[in-house]
Structures are given as structure tokens and as C-alpha cells.
Amino acid sequence: MYEQVAHSLLNDILNRIKPEICQQDLRHFYTRLGANFYAIHSLLEKLYGDRADFNQQAQSLVETMAKKYIKRSAKLRQLDLAREKDYNWFLSQKWVGMALYCQGFADDLTGLRERLNYFQELGVNLVHVMPIMPCPEGSSDGGYAISDFHEIDPQVGTLQDLIGLADEMRERDILLVLDVVVNHTSNHHYWAQEARAGDSIYQDYYYTFETRTVPDMFEQSMPEIFPETAPGNFTWDEEMGRWVMTVFNDFQWDLNYSNPAVLIEMLNIILFWANQGADILRLDAVAFLWKKIGSTCQNEREAHLILQLLKDCCQVTAPGVLFIAEAIVAPVEVIKYFGEDAVIAKECEIAYNATFMALLWDAVATKNARLLNQGIKSLPVKLERATWLNYVRCHDDIGLGFDDRDILLCDYRPARHRKFLIDYFTGQFADSHARGLPFGQNEKTGDARISGSLASLAGLERALEIGAERGIDDAIKLILLLHGMIMSFGGIPLLYYGDALGTLNDDSYRSDPHKMGDTRWVHRPSINWETAARRNIPGSVEYKIFSALKRMIAVRKEITVFADFNNRELIEVENPHLFVFGRYNLNNQAGRVLIVANFNDRPQHLDVADLGTWAPQYGRFVDLYKGESPDVFKKSLVIPGFGFYWLSES
Ligand code: OTU
């Protein structure tokens, strides 16, 4: 939009722009800046309009974008242009992701590069390498306590290694996802060090206070994120002689985005990683970006404005780069991280589908799909040009973040149901085969979350230990069933490293004093590549899981209705153990696929009459995953225990 105030400011900025910037070929940069400047200006004004230095801040923001555009390589600029043209590229069903710790997966970046074949063997073509920047020794929060946003942890490699990796991944058509931890720095970061030394400019990068007055006001409404290891949201820093806001661990200082300097620094960091060759940036803990007394300090409107601003600015410099919102919040809130628009994602193009993940685990524990069906019914429809990251496990705990109302609608009592789930996954429940651990138990609120590797939560660890053949088979079926869901639901499936090999809990963290307090380390394994080689030995557990997932991925890529165009219909059926939905073509009936999943260990039947218009019109169903027709008995489809189908009509 053309608007006079914004446009005259833009003219001033361009007049004052430094000669080293003007002398460059900025044609595409200016086109995009012109297109986005009205939005950028109005967002900046909403956030920082009352500051005397507003125009200087705007100048510095534009210069940051321009400088990073100049540094962007010709190859990446080409990619930007190609993606501008093919703007729905990331909605395709051809993408299948995996998240991993570089050190756990392959020791370092060189090792990771040497293992790229593994991804191609499985069919994975999007790899999220979790944070690889330097962290304080022993206080890393798994990489999320960053001491230098422009460096690579020397134990993992160098920037050159990363650029080499990114280049080779691009040649192999594998996308690279990197993290930008936007909400906080470690207490060893240069800004924190300067703040500690008494520099008020850097103290203003954080929320620091001389007395408890303001912190106490904040505490009245702020929940605790890590109640066991880091109770409260403020930490006294002896050296600085001030309290500092630390929502996560006491060594993670929250950044103060009411200071525009912080926003500009972060934009600079985002564009830096975009220029190193990241295709997608995962923005960590985005719900926490704005703090307001009297609120939970999550999902505030300003947090959304900041994300919109970061998106608009990134589009000017590196429009091919997408953002993932890591916001593990209620469904109605998470949807807002796409940006509230009719079509286009104005904040993040991709968001973690934590709701679906947690609902899948509910179905595992209850062996029925009641809450899963109810929860998916309540999941708001997302924007057209945005997509989910669907996952079963990740490096974090499983939070039981579904809605109490949905639990009630299933005739469960919320508190008791949540307690059942915790008991079930931590093996306290008599019938449970899960070997999970509690995480984040909060005695004040009664809340708890769950840690544990997929295989151990699915019962594989226990079954192997007692040599129960049926148990091993069931656990494998369950692992495949869960993957069958994330591959077909709509969105990008994100596998977690180790899961395709049935990796069990890793208890070694218990002997590390820096890790033993945080059970999430139990599911952050080091891959044993000798064991992994068993994926090629038919009959082994590794083979059964790996080869099935490999097939599933290959089949997914061929099913065009699995691309994410809001083309899913939930189908409610009589049998409560079943989760049934259809994926269809927006233009015609051709190629539609019906997904049927049985979360019970016993075979279940689905009355074909329940399917309405989804019943086969002419021929019969064939399961695209197995390549066979499912059994039909007296007009009912039979779905084996923990089985699933991707049905097409033959
Ligand atoms: C994220 O986590 C990361 O994924 C965690 O590994 C980090 O510890 C944390 O940020 C701090 O950097 O912020 O929006 O229950 O689910 O803390 C949600 C723990 C987050 C995580 C939660 C999450």
C-alpha cells in the first residue's frame, strides 16, 4: 500500500543510506522493500512509535536488511526468485523431515555431511539440525542457551563446515533447518557480560531490576516453565547487583523486545543464518517474546507484531526463507502464529502441531480415538498458504496441552484424565508397557509432562527386556501407526532421529551432574551406527521399522492429495477406537484417499455405511501403503490391532 508518511520516511532513509550500500545492485531489494515498507513502518510505529529516536531506528533496520542483501550469495538470490515464483513449494507432499542433534547423530558437522546418504536412503529431504552455537559448558539447555549467535560450537565444527554442508544438501535437494533462539541468550553472551559489568545500554537488552518490586508483580501471573530445575521467573545476578528475568533456566536471560535495538540485532542474526544457507529457520519459544505485568507473558499481541515485522523484513532480504513457529500453546493461540490473514502467512509459514502430537499420545494411552477425534474437530482451520509440522516425538517433553472442554466432551474428568496419562506413560498404570519419565512436575499446580523415546513409550523397551514377541510386534505396529498419521494428516512430517531405528531411552544422562535434573536428556540419544546397520538385516527390529518407514515415505511422496491445501475432512464413525479422515482433491473426486487408523490392540471393524460419500463408489478399496485390499466382513472393513490404511479406490 502507498501511504504518504511511510513513503516520505522511506525517501529520507534512502537519501541517507550509506554510499557503500547505494553502489550495489539492489533492484530486487528495492522492489521488495517498496512492497513491504508500509507494513514494516506501521508495525514499527505500533511497537516503537513513541520513541524520540524512531526515525534512526527505522534507518538502522533498513540498513541491516540492505547490508545482508548485499552479502547474500548469487545462488541464494536465485533460489529466492525461484521460490517467489513457485510460492506454494513448501506445501507439497514431497517433503519429509527429520530433527536431530548434530553431535548425537554424527559427532560433528563433518560427520553429518558424511551421513547425508542416510537421509536419502530413508527418503528424508528436510533436516533440522538443532542449535549448534556455543553454549556455556554444562548449562546448555540442549543448545538453547546461546553465548554467540554468529559462531558454531567448536566441538561441532566451523562456519565453513556448515556452509559446505548447506551447499551439499542443496545439491541433493535436502532442505536445511536451523534454529534462531529469539527469546533469550545465555548468561555468557557478550550482551549479558556487558550488562553484568554495569553497561546500561546492555542492561536494557534484558529485563533487569534493582529490587523485587516489579519482579514480584510479574510473578503474580507468570507460570513456571521449568518448575523443578528453575522455579520462578527471575534470577539475582550478584555481579550485576540486579534481578534479571529468566523464564526458562536461570542461565537463560530473556531479551527485552520493547527495546528496538534488540529487534534489529535479532533481525541481523536471522538474516545471517539465512545467508549461511538455511532454507528454514525455527524460531524458538516465540510465544514468550513480549512481557506484560498482569499477563502470563505468553501469546501477547506484541509478540505477534514482532514476528510480523521479522517476517516482512526477511521477505525483503531473503524471501525464499521460511519461518517455523515453535509455540507449544493452545490450538486457538497457535493458529495465530501464522498471522491472522485470510490466505498468506504473515508471521511464520510453518508451526509445530503440538496439539495433534499430544492427541496421538492420548489415543495411545486410552487405546481409543475419542479425544483425538474431539481435539481435531476443535483444531481451527489454518491459513491457505501455511502448514503444520506434524511430529510424534521431538527433543522436548510431551505436554498434555489439549483443551479441558474437549476432555469433558469425551466424558473424562480433566484432572483425572491427565493423571491417568502421566501414570500410563511413566509405567505406574498396571496395564501400561510404556517406560517414560515425568518432566516438569509442578507441586503447586499438579501439572506434569512426559519424557521418553518413542520406542520406550511405545512399549518396545519393556517387550525386548522380557522377550515378549507379541509385545515387540505391537510396539513396532504402534510406532508405524503413529508415523502413518503424521505422514498423511496434512503438513510436513518431522521424524525424530533414532525413531526410524527404534532407539530406546538413553539413561546415561543420569550420571552427568549437569543433565540429571532434566529428564528430556533420556530421549536425546547418540546413534550407535553399528546397531543402525542392522536396518539392513531382515527380521531385526531395526529393519522392520526402518524398511516400513522408508516405504511409507516413498508412498507419501506419490500421493498428491497429501499436499497440504486444507483438503482434509474428519469422518466420525461409530467405532471409538478408530480415527478416520479423508484427503481430497480440491477440484474433483479423483485420487482421494481415506485414512483409517485403529488405536486398539485388537482388530476393529468399520461399517462402510459410516463412510457416507467416502464409501467406495464403484470398485473396492486398496491400501496404498501395503498395496493390498483390506479384509471386508459383512460390509465392514477389518482393521488389525494398531493397524492403519491409506485407502484409495481401485
Ligand atoms: C523450547 O521449548 C525448546 O524446544 C526447548 O528445548 C528449550 O528448553 C526452551 O524452548 C527454551 O529455549 O518454549 O514454546 O516444555 O516445550 O520450553 C515452547 C518445554 C517452548 C518446551 C518449551 C519450549
Side-chain angles (χ1 to χ4, degrees), residues 243-260:
W243 291 94
V244 58
M245 187 186 279
T246 53
V247 168
F248 294 92
N249 289 297
D250 56 14
F251 49 84
Q252 288 165 302
W253 290 20
D254 285 67
L255 286 165
N256 170 16
Y257 279 88
S258 63
N259 176 358

mmCIF file of all heavy atoms in Angstrom, residues 243-260:
data_model
loop_
_atom_site.group_PDB
_atom_site.id
_atom_site.type_symbol
_atom_site.label_atom_id
_atom_site.label_comp_id
_atom_site.label_asym_id
_atom_site.label_seq_id
_atom_site.Cartn_x
_atom_site.Cartn_y
_atom_site.Cartn_z
ATOM 1 N N TRP A 243 18.201 -8.020 39.627
ATOM 2 C CA TRP A 243 17.399 -9.166 39.222
ATOM 3 C C TRP A 243 17.284 -9.159 37.707
ATOM 4 O O TRP A 243 17.187 -8.104 37.102
ATOM 5 C CB TRP A 243 15.988 -9.071 39.819
ATOM 6 C CG TRP A 243 15.962 -9.259 41.296
ATOM 7 C CD1 TRP A 243 16.007 -8.276 42.241
ATOM 8 C CD2 TRP A 243 15.904 -10.501 42.003
ATOM 9 N NE1 TRP A 243 15.977 -8.823 43.506
ATOM 10 C CE2 TRP A 243 15.908 -10.198 43.376
ATOM 11 C CE3 TRP A 243 15.846 -11.840 41.607
ATOM 12 C CZ2 TRP A 243 15.860 -11.187 44.363
ATOM 13 C CZ3 TRP A 243 15.785 -12.822 42.582
ATOM 14 C CH2 TRP A 243 15.801 -12.488 43.949
ATOM 15 N N VAL A 244 17.286 -10.333 37.117
ATOM 16 C CA VAL A 244 17.104 -10.409 35.669
ATOM 17 C C VAL A 244 16.028 -11.446 35.371
ATOM 18 O O VAL A 244 15.918 -12.463 36.065
ATOM 19 C CB VAL A 244 18.442 -10.725 34.952
ATOM 20 C CG1 VAL A 244 19.064 -12.039 35.434
ATOM 21 C CG2 VAL A 244 18.260 -10.781 33.434
ATOM 22 N N MET A 245 15.219 -11.156 34.353
ATOM 23 C CA MET A 245 14.148 -12.109 34.024
ATOM 24 C C MET A 245 14.732 -13.336 33.331
ATOM 25 O O MET A 245 15.461 -13.218 32.342
ATOM 26 C CB MET A 245 13.109 -11.455 33.112
ATOM 27 C CG MET A 245 11.896 -12.364 32.894
ATOM 28 S SD MET A 245 10.734 -11.710 31.705
ATOM 29 C CE MET A 245 9.823 -10.551 32.689
ATOM 30 N N THR A 246 14.414 -14.507 33.883
ATOM 31 C CA THR A 246 14.897 -15.783 33.339
ATOM 32 C C THR A 246 13.716 -16.759 33.352
ATOM 33 O O THR A 246 13.547 -17.522 34.290
ATOM 34 C CB THR A 246 16.046 -16.352 34.193
ATOM 35 O OG1 THR A 246 15.607 -16.410 35.562
ATOM 36 C CG2 THR A 246 17.301 -15.499 34.127
ATOM 37 N N VAL A 247 12.912 -16.722 32.305
ATOM 38 C CA VAL A 247 11.690 -17.535 32.267
ATOM 39 C C VAL A 247 12.034 -19.023 32.228
ATOM 40 O O VAL A 247 11.411 -19.830 32.894
ATOM 41 C CB VAL A 247 10.826 -17.140 31.049
ATOM 42 C CG1 VAL A 247 9.706 -18.145 30.819
ATOM 43 C CG2 VAL A 247 10.256 -15.739 31.255
ATOM 44 N N PHE A 248 13.054 -19.379 31.466
ATOM 45 C CA PHE A 248 13.426 -20.792 31.348
ATOM 46 C C PHE A 248 14.426 -21.105 32.465
ATOM 47 O O PHE A 248 14.089 -20.963 33.633
ATOM 48 C CB PHE A 248 13.906 -21.087 29.918
ATOM 49 C CG PHE A 248 12.788 -20.939 28.913
ATOM 50 C CD1 PHE A 248 12.555 -19.733 28.269
ATOM 51 C CD2 PHE A 248 11.929 -21.998 28.665
ATOM 52 C CE1 PHE A 248 11.494 -19.583 27.375
ATOM 53 C CE2 PHE A 248 10.865 -21.862 27.782
ATOM 54 C CZ PHE A 248 10.653 -20.660 27.139
ATOM 55 N N ASN A 249 15.674 -21.463 32.129
ATOM 56 C CA ASN A 249 16.638 -21.726 33.202
ATOM 57 C C ASN A 249 17.266 -20.427 33.711
ATOM 58 O O ASN A 249 17.207 -19.398 33.030
ATOM 59 C CB ASN A 249 17.726 -22.666 32.677
ATOM 60 C CG ASN A 249 17.193 -24.063 32.459
ATOM 61 O OD1 ASN A 249 16.770 -24.738 33.396
ATOM 62 N ND2 ASN A 249 17.182 -24.496 31.200
ATOM 63 N N ASP A 250 17.891 -20.508 34.889
ATOM 64 C CA ASP A 250 18.454 -19.265 35.446
ATOM 65 C C ASP A 250 19.622 -18.727 34.621
ATOM 66 O O ASP A 250 20.017 -17.578 34.759
ATOM 67 C CB ASP A 250 18.850 -19.456 36.925
ATOM 68 C CG ASP A 250 19.814 -20.600 37.131
ATOM 69 O OD1 ASP A 250 20.391 -21.088 36.126
ATOM 70 O OD2 ASP A 250 20.006 -21.019 38.292
ATOM 71 N N PHE A 251 20.172 -19.568 33.719
ATOM 72 C CA PHE A 251 21.267 -19.091 32.869
ATOM 73 C C PHE A 251 20.773 -18.630 31.497
ATOM 74 O O PHE A 251 21.551 -18.354 30.607
ATOM 75 C CB PHE A 251 22.343 -20.183 32.721
ATOM 76 C CG PHE A 251 21.791 -21.550 32.353
ATOM 77 C CD1 PHE A 251 21.539 -21.859 31.018
ATOM 78 C CD2 PHE A 251 21.526 -22.500 33.332
ATOM 79 C CE1 PHE A 251 21.033 -23.109 30.664
ATOM 80 C CE2 PHE A 251 21.014 -23.760 32.983
ATOM 81 C CZ PHE A 251 20.766 -24.058 31.654
ATOM 82 N N GLN A 252 19.455 -18.557 31.311
ATOM 83 C CA GLN A 252 18.877 -18.061 30.051
ATOM 84 C C GLN A 252 18.149 -16.744 30.318
ATOM 85 O O GLN A 252 17.083 -16.738 30.929
ATOM 86 C CB GLN A 252 17.903 -19.105 29.471
ATOM 87 C CG GLN A 252 18.619 -20.323 28.902
ATOM 88 C CD GLN A 252 17.698 -21.503 28.666
ATOM 89 O OE1 GLN A 252 17.043 -21.977 29.593
ATOM 90 N NE2 GLN A 252 17.657 -21.999 27.448
ATOM 91 N N TRP A 253 18.776 -15.668 29.855
ATOM 92 C CA TRP A 253 18.233 -14.327 30.123
ATOM 93 C C TRP A 253 17.263 -13.911 29.014
ATOM 94 O O TRP A 253 17.621 -13.902 27.836
ATOM 95 C CB TRP A 253 19.382 -13.311 30.201
ATOM 96 C CG TRP A 253 20.258 -13.440 31.418
ATOM 97 C CD1 TRP A 253 20.400 -14.532 32.224
ATOM 98 C CD2 TRP A 253 21.130 -12.429 31.943
ATOM 99 N NE1 TRP A 253 21.304 -14.268 33.221
ATOM 100 C CE2 TRP A 253 21.768 -12.990 33.075
ATOM 101 C CE3 TRP A 253 21.427 -11.117 31.567
ATOM 102 C CZ2 TRP A 253 22.695 -12.268 33.835
ATOM 103 C CZ3 TRP A 253 22.358 -10.395 32.317
ATOM 104 C CH2 TRP A 253 22.963 -10.974 33.447
ATOM 105 N N ASP A 254 16.059 -13.516 29.400
ATOM 106 C CA ASP A 254 15.051 -13.106 28.419
ATOM 107 C C ASP A 254 15.388 -11.757 27.794
ATOM 108 O O ASP A 254 15.700 -10.801 28.507
ATOM 109 C CB ASP A 254 13.675 -13.027 29.079
ATOM 110 C CG ASP A 254 13.116 -14.403 29.314
ATOM 111 O OD1 ASP A 254 13.698 -15.132 30.152
ATOM 112 O OD2 ASP A 254 12.126 -14.769 28.659
ATOM 113 N N LEU A 255 15.265 -11.702 26.474
ATOM 114 C CA LEU A 255 15.556 -10.454 25.766
ATOM 115 C C LEU A 255 14.373 -9.492 25.840
ATOM 116 O O LEU A 255 13.214 -9.911 25.841
ATOM 117 C CB LEU A 255 15.899 -10.755 24.310
ATOM 118 C CG LEU A 255 17.293 -11.382 24.127
ATOM 119 C CD1 LEU A 255 17.425 -11.987 22.726
ATOM 120 C CD2 LEU A 255 18.395 -10.348 24.378
ATOM 121 N N ASN A 256 14.706 -8.211 25.873
ATOM 122 C CA ASN A 256 13.704 -7.166 26.034
ATOM 123 C C ASN A 256 13.353 -6.540 24.681
ATOM 124 O O ASN A 256 14.043 -5.647 24.206
ATOM 125 C CB ASN A 256 14.275 -6.111 26.992
ATOM 126 C CG ASN A 256 13.432 -4.856 27.043
ATOM 127 O OD1 ASN A 256 12.276 -4.844 26.611
ATOM 128 N ND2 ASN A 256 14.012 -3.783 27.567
ATOM 129 N N TYR A 257 12.274 -7.019 24.082
ATOM 130 C CA TYR A 257 11.887 -6.525 22.754
ATOM 131 C C TYR A 257 11.177 -5.183 22.791
ATOM 132 O O TYR A 257 10.821 -4.657 21.740
ATOM 133 C CB TYR A 257 11.040 -7.571 22.013
ATOM 134 C CG TYR A 257 11.891 -8.643 21.375
ATOM 135 C CD1 TYR A 257 12.255 -9.781 22.082
ATOM 136 C CD2 TYR A 257 12.364 -8.490 20.080
ATOM 137 C CE1 TYR A 257 13.052 -10.754 21.504
ATOM 138 C CE2 TYR A 257 13.166 -9.456 19.495
ATOM 139 C CZ TYR A 257 13.503 -10.588 20.216
ATOM 140 O OH TYR A 257 14.298 -11.539 19.640
ATOM 141 N N SER A 258 10.981 -4.621 23.982
ATOM 142 C CA SER A 258 10.434 -3.265 23.952
ATOM 143 C C SER A 258 11.562 -2.292 23.597
ATOM 144 O O SER A 258 11.330 -1.114 23.361
ATOM 145 C CB SER A 258 9.759 -2.911 25.280
ATOM 146 O OG SER A 258 10.703 -2.929 26.313
ATOM 147 N N ASN A 259 12.780 -2.821 23.518
ATOM 148 C CA ASN A 259 13.927 -2.049 23.047
ATOM 149 C C ASN A 259 14.171 -2.398 21.569
ATOM 150 O O ASN A 259 14.530 -3.527 21.249
ATOM 151 C CB ASN A 259 15.139 -2.438 23.910
ATOM 152 C CG ASN A 259 16.420 -1.763 23.458
ATOM 153 O OD1 ASN A 259 16.432 -1.018 22.476
ATOM 154 N ND2 ASN A 259 17.493 -2.044 24.174
ATOM 155 N N PRO A 260 13.986 -1.418 20.650
ATOM 156 C CA PRO A 260 14.111 -1.746 19.216
ATOM 157 C C PRO A 260 15.504 -2.247 18.833
ATOM 158 O O PRO A 260 15.653 -2.968 17.848
ATOM 159 C CB PRO A 260 13.793 -0.427 18.506
ATOM 160 C CG PRO A 260 13.905 0.635 19.549
ATOM 161 C CD PRO A 260 13.617 -0.002 20.865
#
